[in-house]
Amino acid sequence: GRDMTATDLKCPIDLLEHWMRTRPQSVYLRQPEHGKIREMTWATVWDQTRRMAAALLSMGLEPGDRVAIIAKNSAEWFIADFAIQAAGLVSAPVCPTASSETIRYILEHSESKVAFIGKLDDMALVKSGMPAGITTIAMPYPTSHCDHQWQDLIKSHDPLQTVVKAALDDLLTVVYTSGSTGKPKGVELTCRNM
């Protein structure tokens, strides 16, 4: 095939909006839950993304602020990441098997102000690794105490009207290495990298 040009490149949030406009009622995400599959359409994901983005901004976050995601894969992991982008923030994902020391290091090093907490095998590690002052949001799975619940934030916020459109060289995420050669290193990925 032909080489991609800069005009072909789209940020993830732009692609989400494209598919929401093109195929709003088609199923995008399927989440196993209690032996059944919960399906979410492109329109539903777009709506929840914009509601969660509004919730993040209502917490006083400003463009470029870091928001951590500590969770196994789930539909809400994707939505949280999209919401962070839509609000003009930067995600700092944490491996769901990280030790409490690694969790603390990444949250402090990234200067995360908010952390999404999702499905995990050992919630105690997150609790003991959580630095003071970070606002926590529980995804809709069994979690330890968090400051906010996912569904409450979705219900109590109108969808963000103006979604931030990242430029190709804007920072989208800081992905941390395993730390096998010392402390984890934060790798900055731009929209172009994604």
Side-chain angles (χ1 to χ4, degrees):
R2 65 183 181 84
D3 291 335
M4 300 244 332
T5 65
T7 56
D8 294 323
L9 300 177
K10 301 280 187 228
C11 288
I13 195 71
D14 299 318
L15 292 171
L16 174 61
E17 184 176 13
H18 165 79
W19 289 112
M20 182 280 303
R21 293 191 187 290
T22 308
R23 304 176 61 182
Q25 298 312 313
S26 293
V27 173
Y28 168 38
L29 298 175
R30 290 178 174 88
Q31 179 62 50
E33 200 170 74
H34 308 299
K36 296 182 179 174
I37 302 293
R38 177 169 47 94
E39 296 183 336
M40 301 175 82
T41 65
W42 291 100
T44 298
V45 172
W46 179 245
D47 180 68
Q48 287 200 16
T49 291
R50 292 167 52 229
R51 288 175 185 277
M52 191 56 72
L56 291 169
L57 293 175
S58 77
M59 295 174 193
L61 296 176
E62 297 180 358
D65 280 348
R66 302 326 195 238
V67 177
I69 304 173
I70 311 171
K72 289 182 174 183
N73 290 341
S74 68
E76 287 76 19
W77 202 109
F78 282 89
I79 296 169
D81 198 40
F82 282 131
I84 292 165
Q85 292 175 48
L89 307 169
V90 176
S91 65
V94 179
C95 181
T97 59
S99 67
S100 59
E101 294 80 15
T102 299
I103 292 169
R104 181 176 298 277
Y105 177 79
I106 292 173
L107 293 178
E108 289 176 346
H109 185 266
S110 67
E111 300 179 348
S112 290
K113 297 197 166 121
V114 172
F116 285 97
I117 313 297
K119 296 197 310 187
L120 294 166
D121 290 331
D122 192 346
M123 203 57 70
L125 288 177
V126 173
K127 195 170 186 181
S128 62
M130 188 66 58
I134 293 184
T135 300
T136 54
I137 301 170
M139 292 179 178
Y141 304 100
T143 59
S144 59
H145 174 74
C146 287
D147 299 308
H148 302 281
Q149 296 296 312
W150 180 276
Q151 294 298 351
D152 293 343
L153 292 176
I154 294 293
K155 289 176 187 170
S156 64
H157 289 84
D158 291 330
L160 184 68
Q161 291 304 304
T162 305
V163 170
V164 173
K165 298 294 185 178
L168 286 177
D169 293 317
D170 285 351
L171 182 62
L172 285 191
T173 188
V174 180
V175 179
Y176 282 81
T177 63
S178 66
S180 58
T181 58
K183 297 278 188 200
K185 278 79 172 174
V187 180
E188 295 185 332
L189 298 179
T190 64
C191 184
R192 187 186 303 274
N193 297 142
M194 297 296 275

